[in-house]
Amino acid sequence: MLETTERAVRERVTLHDLKPQLTDVREEVHAGLVSAPRRLSPKYFYDERGSELFEAITRLPEYYPTRTEMSILQQRLPEICQLLGRETQLVEYGSGSSRKIRLLLDGLRPSVYMPIDISLDHLRDAALRLAEDYPSLEIHAVCADYSRPFVLPWRDPSLTVSAFFPGSSIGNFERGAAALFLAHVHETLGVGSRLLVGVDRRKDAARLEAAYDDAEGVTAAFNRNALVHLRRVLGGDVEPERFDHLAFYDASAGRIEMHLVAREDQVFRLGNTEVVLEAGDRIHTENSYKYDPEEFEALARGAGFETLRHWTDVEELFSVFVLETV
């Protein structure tokens, strides 16, 4: 009986592997560590331990984005479902089994769900979990790099297409790259489609900096985990505990910056790269851009989207938009 159930679940999951070109980690890390300023991609935060740490961050009292976005989605779900339409093929940029996508699946009850993620294993696991929990849901999981142009490998011509991009992930793109990403989304979804997107807002520096430098030091551990992860993958002798976590808000750029700061003079190897640092030298690990509502609407309009609705919370910390491709 168990085997029959597992087979039925798997039969409702179709995996479309577009074989995204994966960056050579060794070359990318080398290029980042010899550049000026030195940098590492924020994607290296996320091994198994990094994912656990990020989940812990979302539960911290200082970290408002996750709970605020979830609250807006819960409060506005009937309006969101009406705008997206219940007869829809729901595309998610990123592959989630989190409360946010489950909230939409429960509210919209789409017949087709299409998660997109560059990690084939993560994509498959998340799709199978959701298929098990939603017995009537057909899942077409797409392995692709969604930051680059691609064509949906399957679509039901009888359904509209709606997409979900939660968590203020748009803020991890540089502003020009964010505009280009939205243009790619427009091209992928086609005219008449809708996009539900979460956007973190500009606000008081103290509130932002507390969210990215919590009192318990969880974000600091998350930041240092990039070095732990890369040392395991590439080899080397870098010692993450010899770095401090730095997060600050650059109001002129409208972004939080995260850095690892050398506590002392040091020389270390990571992969085939030797790095010489003086005390105080930094490795830039993440930017997180914030947008005023009018600023984001202008960005979206330039990529061919019209804003249908925009909601925020009572403190005006976070925004959720429904956009339409025109």
Side-chain angles (χ1 to χ4, degrees):
M1 181 66 178
L2 182 60
E3 288 183 4
T4 304
T5 303
E6 290 179 351
R7 189 183 310 114
V9 167
R10 291 180 181 276
E11 285 175 352
R12 287 186 291 106
V13 176
T14 302
L15 187 62
H16 304 269
D17 187 0
L18 302 190
K19 300 191 181 305
Q21 184 176 358
L22 301 177
T23 304
D24 184 280
V25 175
R26 193 175 300 274
E27 290 182 7
E28 184 179 57
V29 168
H30 174 79
L33 290 177
V34 300
S35 67
R38 295 178 182 86
R39 61 179 60 246
L40 291 172
S41 169
K43 66 187 175 186
Y44 296 123
F45 294 144
Y46 295 100
D47 59 357
E48 184 177 358
R49 176 56 177 158
S51 296
E52 292 172 354
L53 286 167
F54 183 72
E55 283 302 310
I57 288 169
T58 66
R59 297 190 293 268
L60 292 168
E62 299 98 327
Y63 193 79
Y64 62 85
T66 300
R67 64 174 176 271
T68 307
E69 182 182 31
M70 188 65 184
S71 175
I72 295 169
L73 292 173
Q74 289 171 325
Q75 292 173 16
R76 301 298 184 177
L77 187 61
E79 297 164 83
I80 289 169
C81 291
Q82 184 177 19
L83 286 167
L84 297 185
R86 295 182 187 275
E87 294 298 319
T88 193
Q89 177 174 322
L90 181 62
V91 175
E92 184 181 15
Y93 281 83
S95 174
S97 56
S98 69
R99 290 184 300 148
K100 293 174 191 173
I101 191 59
R102 289 171 183 268
L103 182 69
L104 270 189
L105 292 174
D106 290 340
L108 278 174
R109 297 194 176 275
S111 53
V112 178
Y113 168 60
M114 180 173 277
I116 304 166
D117 202 275
I118 198 168
S119 170
L120 187 63
D121 291 340
H122 172 73
L123 179 71
R124 182 188 295 109
D125 292 346
L128 289 171
R129 283 197 300 272
L130 287 172
E132 186 174 356
D133 293 343
Y134 293 86
S136 63
L137 187 63
E138 181 180 354
I139 300 178
H140 286 261
V142 182
C143 184
D145 179 356
Y146 64 65
S147 69
R148 299 177 180 272
F150 70 97
V151 176
L152 294 182
W154 183 92
R155 61 197 304 168
D156 185 330
S158 69
L159 301 175
T160 61
V161 177
S162 298
F164 184 37
F165 192 40
S168 195
S169 298
I170 191 74
N172 292 130
F173 292 96
E174 298 295 318
R175 293 195 189 275
L180 187 60
F181 166 73
L182 288 174
H184 293 334
V185 173
H186 186 290
E187 182 180 357
T188 298
L189 301 182
V191 173
S193 301
R194 295 184 176 182
L195 173 64
L196 176 67
V197 57
V199 180
D200 200 8
R201 297 168 65 127
R202 293 181 186 251
K203 59 184 66 67
D204 176 73
R207 186 70 177 264
L208 281 164
E209 289 174 358
Y212 289 83
D213 190 12
D214 61 279
E216 294 181 35
V218 182
T219 313
F222 176 68
N223 198 6
R224 282 191 285 266
N225 189 68
L227 297 179
V228 178
H229 178 198
L230 287 170
R231 183 178 61 190
R232 186 181 66 254
V233 170
L234 298 177
D237 57 6
V238 62
E239 299 177 47
E241 62 274 12
R242 298 177 73 185
F243 289 84
D244 288 319
H245 166 67
L246 173 67
F248 62 88
Y249 182 54
D250 181 341
S252 61
R255 72 186 186 195
I256 281 281
E257 293 187 18
M258 290 205 332
H259 299 256
L260 292 166
V261 184
R263 292 179 178 173
E264 56 198 347
D265 296 352
Q266 55 185 288
V267 179
F268 67 84
R269 184 178 57 83
L270 197 54
N272 56 4
T273 305
E274 184 177 86
V275 182
V276 180
L277 298 179
E278 296 180 357
D281 283 350
R282 300 177 182 180
I283 301 173
H284 191 164
T285 53
E286 185 179 40
N287 288 327
S288 183
Y289 284 86
K290 314 303 174 184
Y291 291 89
D292 288 328
E294 300 78 13
E295 189 179 16
F296 183 74
E297 287 183 4
L299 184 77
R301 189 165 52 250
F305 287 91
E306 174 188 342
T307 299
L308 296 184
R309 289 297 301 271
H310 159 237
W311 301 279
T312 189
D313 56 287
V314 293
E315 293 184 82
E316 299 186 342
L317 299 175
F318 199 92
S319 291
V320 172
F321 291 85
V322 174
L323 309 175
E324 183 174 37
T325 55
V326 294

